[in-house]
Amino acid sequence: MKIAVVGTRGFPGIQGGVETHCENLYTYLAASGCDITVYGRKPYMTWKSDRYKGVKLIPVDSPKNKFLEAIVHTFRCILMARKLHPDIVHIHAIGPSLFAPLARLLGMKVVVTHHGPDYMRKKWPLPAKIFLKFCERMGMMFANQVIVIARNISDDIKLKYNRDSAIIPNGVEIRKPADTADTFKKYGIEKRKYILCVGRFVPEKGFHDLIEAYNLNDFGGWKLVIVGDADHEDSYSRSLKTAALTNKNIVLTGFLTGQPLHELYSHAGIFVLPSYYEGLPIVLLEAMSYGLSCIASDIPANRAIELHDDRFVIPGDIQALSDKIKQYVSRNWGEEDREKQIQTIAARYNWGLIAHETLGLYNLISARD
């Protein structure tokens, strides 16, 4: 089966939930015998080969501009994909799904994966939010098949568009803990003595709240380590970096992937995700797959993941977040707890199963007249 993929910046090792999703899903599908071509955004792609684990990668020129890049890039990619004569063109995220009607008009069968209502993100001004809602409508109306990554998104689509969708979540790879600690030396941190957070520097991730919450309490020498950066440097990302400078125990590592990130996940004392908006947070799934003690904001996407009620905190309540972190920093999290959590995540969020379910949908759509 020949699949053309659009809507992602690309991979490997590119920051973003959609990018992580695509990297894992399509390498699994390629290993299953699918012919996969991924159209990435040239400004982000640093991989030197035109193939990655059996997936063909095509860098396509696009402006590196948060308002234009997805739209310009997707339009170009749909036209390029038509020349492949794919069995399926798979569009990721609601912005790029604007071009689902064009892909159908060109005779292609279209799958759209809805990764979450991006118009809820704080970074978008009102005109952009309205435009993204229109993009969502085009994708939901014209796709041959809609996939969503969480039940709450499926319910929302059914309510707004009377459209059924297949729920296929994000996944994780269960990895053995790292036995190296080179990253620790670089940033001056100790095993099990730091609070970890991972994500892009955008307002909806709530990192500003986390920094304030950390400064409100004495955590007994525990450091706060925030992994990530901005795709497009702006006043918000600069304000985070300025705020971090006020406390020597706050560590900003920048964007990390591979072994350095593996080391930080492996040996964190606690993981915190204080976001206001998520689709289905891969970083939280990853933290749980390492067996980490986790705290998350009380939003529908985070609630969809198996965490105890006591581990949620209302987004934006800085004092409550600080107190919650203090509570779990002081609480013992034993090996039995870690193993139970890892087994739960492995059973439900397995990339092999996710790829199998996705391929099954492809086959059904491809077989239709």
Side-chain angles (χ1 to χ4, degrees):
M1 175 163 297
K2 185 183 293 185
I3 312 297
V5 181
V6 302
T8 175
R9 292 181 179 92
F11 55 80
I14 297 176
Q15 181 173 235
V18 173
E19 287 65 40
T20 301
H21 177 101
C22 290
E23 179 173 342
N24 285 281
L25 173 61
Y26 293 112
T27 52
Y28 264 90
L29 286 174
S32 298
C34 292
D35 180 352
I36 308 290
T37 300
V38 174
Y39 295 94
R41 300 177 199 170
K42 193 172 184 178
Y44 297 91
M45 297 181 72
T46 58
W47 187 251
K48 301 304 181 184
S49 173
D50 64 354
R51 287 195 174 269
Y52 177 74
K53 295 185 177 180
V55 177
K56 186 177 182 180
L57 303 174
I58 300 181
V60 179
D61 286 325
S62 65
K64 196 172 182 182
N65 175 289
K66 69 180 180 180
F67 295 105
L68 295 175
E69 68 177 52
I71 301 305
V72 173
H73 180 261
T74 306
F75 175 70
R76 290 173 175 169
C77 293
I78 292 295
L79 297 181
M80 294 174 69
R82 178 65 186 90
K83 297 176 183 178
L84 285 181
H85 302 288
D87 297 293
I88 302 289
V89 60
H90 195 154
I91 302 173
H92 287 268
I94 61 170
S97 73
L98 171 67
F99 295 105
L102 174 62
R104 293 291 302 277
L105 184 65
L106 293 174
M108 292 183 282
K109 294 181 177 180
V110 179
V111 174
V112 168
T113 292
H114 194 314
H115 289 266
D118 285 348
Y119 43 79
M120 299 292 290
R121 296 183 187 275
K122 292 188 174 185
K123 69 177 181 178
W124 297 121
L126 181 59
K129 291 177 185 287
I130 294 170
F131 179 67
L132 284 167
K133 288 181 179 180
F134 176 72
C135 294
E136 178 187 66
R137 178 175 291 275
M138 292 300 97
M140 299 308 98
M141 290 177 62
F142 287 95
N144 295 88
Q145 176 68 54
V146 174
I147 296 173
V148 299
I149 59 172
R151 169 67 65 182
N152 61 295
I153 302 173
S154 176
D155 292 343
D156 186 54
I157 290 170
K158 183 67 175 178
L159 181 65
K160 290 194 292 188
Y161 307 108
N162 195 31
R163 177 77 192 251
D164 292 324
S165 54
I167 303 171
I168 304 179
N170 287 323
V172 289
E173 291 280 0
I174 306 299
R175 300 182 62 183
K176 293 181 179 179
D179 55 8
T180 57
D182 297 337
T183 307
F184 288 39
K185 299 171 187 176
K186 181 176 180 179
Y187 296 110
I189 55 179
E190 300 176 45
K191 290 183 179 181
R192 306 282 181 241
K193 288 281 285 184
Y194 60 94
I195 302 154
L196 179 64
C197 191
V198 180
R200 195 179 296 155
F201 283 11
V202 287
E204 62 268 17
K205 293 298 182 183
F207 292 165
H208 54 290
D209 291 343
L210 180 56
I211 289 173
E212 285 192 53
Y214 179 77
N215 286 330
L216 284 180
N217 251 314
D218 177 8
F219 295 100
W222 283 49
K223 291 191 175 184
L224 172 61
V225 178
I226 302 178
V227 178
D229 209 336
D231 289 328
H232 308 281
E233 191 76 62
D234 57 15
S235 59
Y236 178 76
S237 60
R238 287 190 291 269
S239 72
L240 282 183
K241 294 171 184 179
T242 300
L245 292 174
T246 65
N247 190 327
K248 65 180 182 179
N249 288 321
I250 298 176
V251 178
L252 302 185
T253 68
F255 172 64
L256 296 177
T257 188
Q259 190 65 16
L261 182 58
H262 180 40
E263 290 177 356
L264 290 176
Y265 269 129
S266 295
H267 305 299
I270 192 169
F271 181 87
V272 181
L273 184 64
S275 48
Y276 290 78
Y277 162 86
E278 295 286 347
L280 184 67
I282 290 180
V283 292
L284 182 56
L285 292 176
E286 286 177 338
M288 294 179 71
S289 77
Y290 281 86
L292 295 182
S293 175
C294 295
I295 295 169
S297 53
D298 194 355
I299 58 176
N302 292 343
R303 279 281 183 180
I305 298 173
E306 295 85 349
L307 277 176
H308 190 274
D309 284 349
D310 191 47
R311 290 183 175 271
F312 292 101
V313 63
I314 296 172
D317 190 333
I318 295 166
Q319 185 64 60
L321 177 60
S322 183
D323 293 342
K324 186 72 71 175
I325 295 171
K326 182 74 172 179
Q327 173 187 347
Y328 280 99
V329 161
S330 305
R331 181 178 294 186
N332 181 53
W333 181 247
E335 193 59 33
E336 184 178 341
D337 297 310
R338 297 169 67 86
E339 286 301 321
K340 183 178 179 181
Q341 180 171 281
I342 291 169
Q343 289 170 14
T344 299
I345 294 298
R348 183 170 177 183
Y349 301 101
N350 180 286
W351 275 118
L353 177 60
I354 290 164
H356 178 75
E357 291 179 1
T358 303
L359 182 57
L361 280 179
Y362 288 167
N363 286 326
L364 284 173
I365 297 161
S366 181
R368 295 173 188 165
D369 293 332

